[in-house]
Amino acid sequence: MRDLLGGKGAGLAEMTRAGLPVPPGFTIATTACNLYLANDEALPAGLEDQIISQLQEVERLTDKRFGDPQNPLLVSVRSGAKFSMPGMMDTILNLGLNDRTVEGIISQTGNERFAYDAYRRFVAMFSNVVLGYKLHHFEAVLEQFKHRAGVKEDTDLNAATLKDLVKAYKAMILKELGIDFPEDPFVQLKMAVEAVFRSWKNPRAITYRNHNKIPHDLGTAVNVQAMVFGNMGNDSGTGVAFTRNPSTGEKALYGEYLLNAQGEDVVAGIRTPNPLSTLANELPEVFQQFVTIAERLERHYRDVQDMEFTIERGKLYMLQTRNGKRTAQAAVKIAVDLANEGIISREEAVMRVDPASLDQLLHPRIDPNAKIDVIARGLPASPGAATGTLVFDADEAERLGREGMKVILTRVETCPDDIHGMIMAQGVLTSRGGMTSHAAVVARGMGKPCVAGCESLRVDLERRTFTVGDRTFGEGDTVTLNGSTGEVIAGAVPTLAPELTDEFRQVMVWADAIRKLGVRTNADTPEDAARAREFGAQGIGLCRTEHMFMQPERLPVIQKMIMAEAEHERREHLAKLLPFQREDFEGIFRAMEGLPVTVRLLDPPLHEFLPNLVDLSCEVAVLKATGSDPKLLREKETLLRKVHSLHESNPMMGLRGCRLGLTFPEINEMQVRAIMEAACQLAGEGKKVYPEIMIPLIGHVNELSTVKAQLESVAQQVMEQAGVQVAYRFGTMIEIPRAALTAGAIAEHAEFFSFGTNDLTQMTFGYSRDDAEGRFLSHYLDSKILKDNPFETLDQEGVGQLMQLAVKQGRKARPELKLGICGEHGGDPASVVFAHHLGLDYVSCSPFRVPIARLAAAQATVGTTQMRDK
Ligand code: ADP
Ligand code: MG
Ligand code: MG
């Protein structure tokens, strides 16, 4: 029903059908919204009549009349799209109030104060949502009234003052907008319905949909529902609750409420609410009933429910239920617990966790042994650690965030207008609001650390500072948030690698049992290899050798090798590098014992190992001008000549990859010798090693056959000398479109293909990645010329087609050909799914992304089965 009724409407309908206490109402379908927007904002024919007849049904069920001065029906008008969009579109409460019906409410309830309180809320909300008049204007007037009456809380204002407040509000609207506040309840309702329709295309809703990849053509439904009142005294109240803890996943009812409060008081963080557990003492029967309903809803929907409720004079009403948003940590625990409780299957549990979100679990937390300077403590609203400089404004947070600065967005409380700043911030800090405040909910959804309701902070948004005790922190100061404890810490703090929970390991075990695709890692050091293995890597898909050359004791040797004019000189220097390389490979083979290790031969252009051309030119110029050190000058001049001679106008397409080895075969020979000597060493110890030697940047089969012939003989020679046999393979990267197009011929000489999707993307699009990302690519993405960044999510249409062709031709030429992806795409869930469908043997990604790839691979398998079953 969610497509038609929206999530909220579907939930209300289903709860009503199940006999739960829901105030009567009706839902205007999303199709009406789409018609309205498509039709120049004219209500679809017949809609008004249908609204009137449905309203009569609500009148019958409540025994009240809409607009009746004696016994008036009041309604809420609530938006609700298919996907919940927290705080995106505002609800109007108490619609139907005017100067006549308010008298009816007074005589019905005998509570004048309550009636005017509802009335003033309605005028403010309606003016805000429908007339677009900012709420803070009303708040300012309210503050004046409170000040004049000498009270602190809204609840302390008496009926007469509230009545005057309503007048003041309406007068302000007339003066500022030139509009008489609508008195006719039917006019109010029609205007409200249209406002909800229009709110589908307000900018913040569009931002939210863009960020969450929600289609723009779904439209929103409108729910019109009889009001129930949580602000009728201390046997009334309103609250929100989760069937399990959305932050940790702990199986315990979790929520917050306020007595004598209405509507969004809890969510908006106006007052800091009480934990749900205290309701058991305050209103025990209501609490028991709520517990029962919550359990029922969770079992019915087979997932954690996020529920909104209101208590009117001791009677409980359910106002909303939906699947609860949760942190990654909670998602894992909840999925595993639900499966263990028999509520969902293991496959479903695997499908319930968003692979990309695992990133958060694998990210650092604050070192418990670190000396920290805790300046304040708030609510642990969204876990994880974040360090950044303080920023007090969402626009500023966005601007600095885009410049690559790490910022902590600090507000009294956040609202939907702050979303863009939250997106670019490392973490969010608020001084007001509870665990279900806007800041907390949105930060959890984004997986960002958040400390909310940190009431000891006195935030001064004007001066962009906060004061706590006698300390003041301002814009530009660095703080660290611990979203798991609620601590706000001065300065940057050391962090530790995360620990993996039992539930995390469990869901991974289930994923491994399901998936068909292998997952390897990209690792250049034994430490990375060991970590990746802990994360479940089944080998190394890409070991780059160039980083090994960058180390301080090796770089000078490499540089001399590059400077050498004659081959025999080069060989001398390479011989010095051999023991280092052998040691590197030995370490990696040991860390990956029993698993395949793909080593890529030297790939980058040689000038990367030499000083920068411009820097060096400057140095030479300075030395020349000062004439201080003629010897150094001569050395630098020689170096500069070499740098000049190696300078290429397009290094990405220059002397690199297999072209290096074809120009200077001795470099490859040294590397293969090091690989094979290390492998023979381990094999001699009885250990299992599976070296895979990968030749990069092949475009023509003859490149491969030539390089391979040279290197085969080195490998054979090493094994003969060592008297040990090692099961090694030669293979190549497919990263030039021509290689993909001629994959059949190439497979004759390669035992494996590894798709180097970074280069393949560069060469297929004709973009140089480093240039593209800094210049036009963000513009392409903003203006929707490209839907996704092709360097993050594999371009299936173009690059994917080349891969498909290579897979087909390669397997035809050599059925046992091993196929994999290395490159960042190997850890992108959508690309992993694509790799599964291509029928590759494995993906390879950075160690921290290994669990993400394992889970995504399992989901691809389950997804395929589900499609087949349908
Ligand atoms: P959101 O989509 O922002 O959650 P809702 O439509 O759920 O907005 O409305 C926000 C709050 O307004 C609810 O949590 C509830 O407290 C209050 N509310 C909505 N409808 C009613 C109603 N019929 N009676 C009483 N309170 C209501
Ligand atoms: Mg809302
Ligand atoms: Mg709600």
Side-chain angles (χ1 to χ4, degrees), residues 736-758:
I736 291 182
R738 194 183 184 286
L741 295 169
T742 58
I746 290 177
E748 305 272 343
H749 299 270
E751 289 163 280
F752 63 89
F753 284 174
S754 177
F755 290 99
T757 49
N758 290 347

Side-chain angles (χ1 to χ4, degrees), residues 520 522 540-545 597-603 657-658 668 671-672 675 691-698 704 707 711 729-735 750 752-756 820-823 842 844:
R520 296 194 192 180
N522 300 349
I540 290 181
L542 175 63
C543 171
R544 302 177 188 85
T545 49
V597 174
T598 309
V599 181
R600 179 177 70 184
L601 300 182
L602 196 65
D603 183 56
C658 67
N668 275 352
Q671 290 202 296
V672 169
I675 294 169
E692 300 181 337
I693 299 164
M694 180 153 79
I695 298 161
L697 222 68
I698 293 294
L704 179 62
V707 175
L711 299 181
R729 297 169 198 260
F730 272 104
T732 184
M733 293 185 77
I734 301 290
E735 52 190 335
F752 63 89
F753 284 174
S754 177
F755 290 99
I821 289 185
C822 59
Y842 67 88
S844 185

Side-chain angles (χ1 to χ4, degrees), residues 153-195:
E153 301 277 345
D154 303 3
T155 42
D156 296 332
L157 290 174
N158 65 22
T161 315
L162 290 168
K163 186 173 180 177
D164 288 342
L165 189 60
V166 171
K167 281 206 194 99
Y169 279 0
K170 288 185 175 177
M172 180 167 68
I173 290 297
L174 182 60
K175 178 156 170 273
E176 300 298 327
L177 301 184
I179 297 172
D180 271 318
F181 190 87
E183 289 285 305
D184 181 345
F186 286 95
V187 173
Q188 292 174 355
L189 181 56
K190 191 177 150 202
M191 288 174 80
V193 168
E194 292 191 45

Side-chain angles (χ1 to χ4, degrees), residues 8 79 85-91 264:
K8 197 179 285 166
S79 65
M85 299 163 63
M88 284 295 117
M89 286 177 276
D90 292 326
T91 290
E264 301 211 307

